[in-house]
Amino acid sequence: MESIQESFNKMPGNKKFQQQYQEMKKAIMADADIRAFIEEHDEVDDKMVDRSLARLYEYTTQAKRCEGCPGLANCINMMQGYEPELFINRSVIDIRYNRCPTRMEDEKNKKRNEMIQSYYIPKEILQATFADLDDEDPVRVEAIGTAIQYVEEFVPGETSKGLYIHGGFGVGKTFILGAIANQLAKDKGVRSQFIYTPDFFRQMKSAIQDQSIDAKLDYLKETPLLILDDIGAENISSWVRDDILGALLQYRMTEGLPTLYSSNLDYSLLEEHLAYSHKSGIEETKAKRIMERIKHFTTPVFLEGKNRRV
């Protein structure tokens, strides 16, 4: 393979090209990473450098180690999210591109996010972390501590008990559930399904028409961690209570699968809510049956504080 230098020597009136070539080579050889590579490889000589000049020039134009990284979307490298690495390829110095730290972290985050599926949950909740929680308010410290302890003690495939986080409007119940889901996905690879309960129950009613109820319900029954957000805010009916919620919780109780809840209602008020439906009136026994499945497999956590939505 003929080097660039040899090609220039054959060209008529090559002084201009020679000058440009030497300036480019000088700039390339001034690159600290290139100099370090050459020093580490005794087989590299001037001829190999000349043959490799085009690839070495490409190397100098690429960012390495994500220095000054503007983010994947604005990565300046030829292959976004990949950084160059020099290696000896027979008689030339060549380049291969490897995933950079930013891309690897991005892929890791995407994989974690894919583990948290959701129905009608805002994006910011799905990205919540414990670091984002305001624990300066003393009345919230205990609840947040309980949530953190739950994550620390969670054993995939063994933990069967969940949390029932209740309190007023806008105090951060849903955000804490999001932080739990994210931390469990990150630390222990736990896949979860996060549901805004009122909208989900409405969807289940509409699923009667396309006969997809069983498939949707089976998926929720078997998910490793189920999160029912804002339970008690839905318009209850005997069908939703008994055939959807009851069947769902019965299966998860039998299989030892944990469920987390948030609600504006404590256990007693939720039981009253579940007991009443417009068509069937008050059915206390059926409501108690549901509540036994919730109370026996959750730890109540009261969260108070100011309404953070106003």
Side-chain angles (χ1 to χ4, degrees), residues 270-296:
L270 181 62
E271 183 173 329
E272 291 180 14
H273 171 75
L274 293 174
Y276 179 79
S277 64
H278 293 295
K279 292 184 178 180
S280 302
I282 298 176
E283 298 176 297
E284 293 181 352
T285 301
K286 292 184 177 181
K288 287 182 180 295
R289 188 178 296 124
I290 298 292
M291 287 307 304
E292 282 303 308
R293 296 167 187 168
I294 294 176
K295 289 193 289 186
H296 187 68

Side-chain angles (χ1 to χ4, degrees), residues 15-273:
K15 289 184 178 181
K16 179 179 179 181
F17 292 101
Q18 282 281 3
Q19 183 180 359
Q20 292 175 339
Y21 169 79
Q22 291 300 332
E23 290 175 355
M24 179 176 67
K25 182 177 180 180
K26 182 179 180 180
I28 290 172
M29 298 306 294
D31 186 279
D33 289 328
I34 290 177
R35 290 202 313 271
F37 179 85
I38 292 174
E39 290 173 1
E40 292 172 2
H41 296 79
D42 296 334
E43 65 269 41
V44 177
D45 54 22
D46 286 340
K47 287 188 177 181
M48 183 181 288
V49 170
D50 287 339
R51 287 192 296 267
S52 311
L53 209 61
R55 297 296 272 166
L56 292 175
Y57 174 75
E58 177 185 324
Y59 181 83
T60 63
T61 65
Q62 307 297 294
K64 296 99 178 172
R65 298 173 290 277
C66 297
E67 294 173 353
C69 177
L72 281 182
N74 299 306
C75 177
I76 66 170
N77 286 357
M78 293 178 62
M79 298 176 61
Q80 287 188 332
Y82 289 81
E83 59 182 349
E85 178 190 9
L86 296 174
F87 72 102
I88 303 297
N89 185 8
R90 297 182 181 179
S91 62
V92 298
I93 303 173
D94 209 341
I95 300 178
R96 56 177 158 236
Y97 283 88
N98 306 311
R99 289 182 304 163
C100 70
T102 300
R103 174 169 283 278
M104 288 190 286
E105 183 63 24
D106 182 71
E107 291 175 353
K108 183 179 178 180
N109 289 336
K110 285 181 179 178
K111 184 176 181 180
R112 187 177 72 229
N113 290 340
E114 287 172 358
M115 299 183 75
I116 307 174
Q117 303 299 316
S118 70
Y119 282 99
Y120 318 109
I121 300 296
K123 184 178 180 180
E124 61 268 21
I125 297 299
L126 301 181
Q127 297 175 344
T129 67
F130 285 119
D132 298 324
L133 291 170
D134 175 15
D135 59 1
E136 294 180 359
D137 189 342
V139 298
R140 292 165 51 82
V141 171
E142 184 176 354
I144 294 171
T146 300
I148 294 174
Q149 183 179 13
Y150 181 80
V151 171
E152 292 175 347
E153 296 178 352
F154 192 98
V155 179
E158 295 184 19
T159 297
S160 60
K161 202 166 186 178
L163 298 176
Y164 184 86
I165 303 176
H166 63 99
F169 292 98
V171 295
K173 301 183 297 296
T174 303
F175 201 91
I176 289 179
L177 290 178
I180 292 174
N182 267 309
Q183 204 68 38
L184 284 175
K186 179 181 179 181
D187 295 349
K188 304 186 178 183
V190 177
R191 181 172 59 84
S192 62
Q193 182 72 52
F194 205 129
I195 292 172
Y196 179 61
T197 308
D199 280 348
F200 173 71
F201 284 159
R202 280 194 290 270
Q203 187 194 64
M204 293 301 285
K205 290 179 181 178
S206 65
I208 296 174
Q209 298 178 354
D210 60 17
Q211 300 181 334
S212 62
I213 291 176
D214 289 342
K216 291 176 179 177
L217 197 55
D218 287 345
Y219 180 73
L220 296 183
K221 284 179 179 179
E222 297 171 0
T223 192
L225 178 66
L226 180 62
I227 302 173
L228 297 178
D229 182 42
D230 213 7
I231 190 169
E234 70 283 343
N235 291 319
I236 201 69
S237 70
S238 57
W239 177 77
V240 164
R241 180 193 61 212
D242 302 332
D243 295 343
I244 302 300
L245 183 60
L248 178 61
L249 298 186
Q250 177 63 32
Y251 181 91
R252 296 186 64 79
M253 180 182 71
T254 302
E255 297 298 317
L257 295 171
T259 305
L260 306 180
Y261 305 82
S262 77
S263 180
N264 296 128
L265 311 176
D266 61 15
Y267 285 154
S268 297
L269 291 176
L270 181 62
E271 183 173 329
E272 291 180 14
H273 171 75

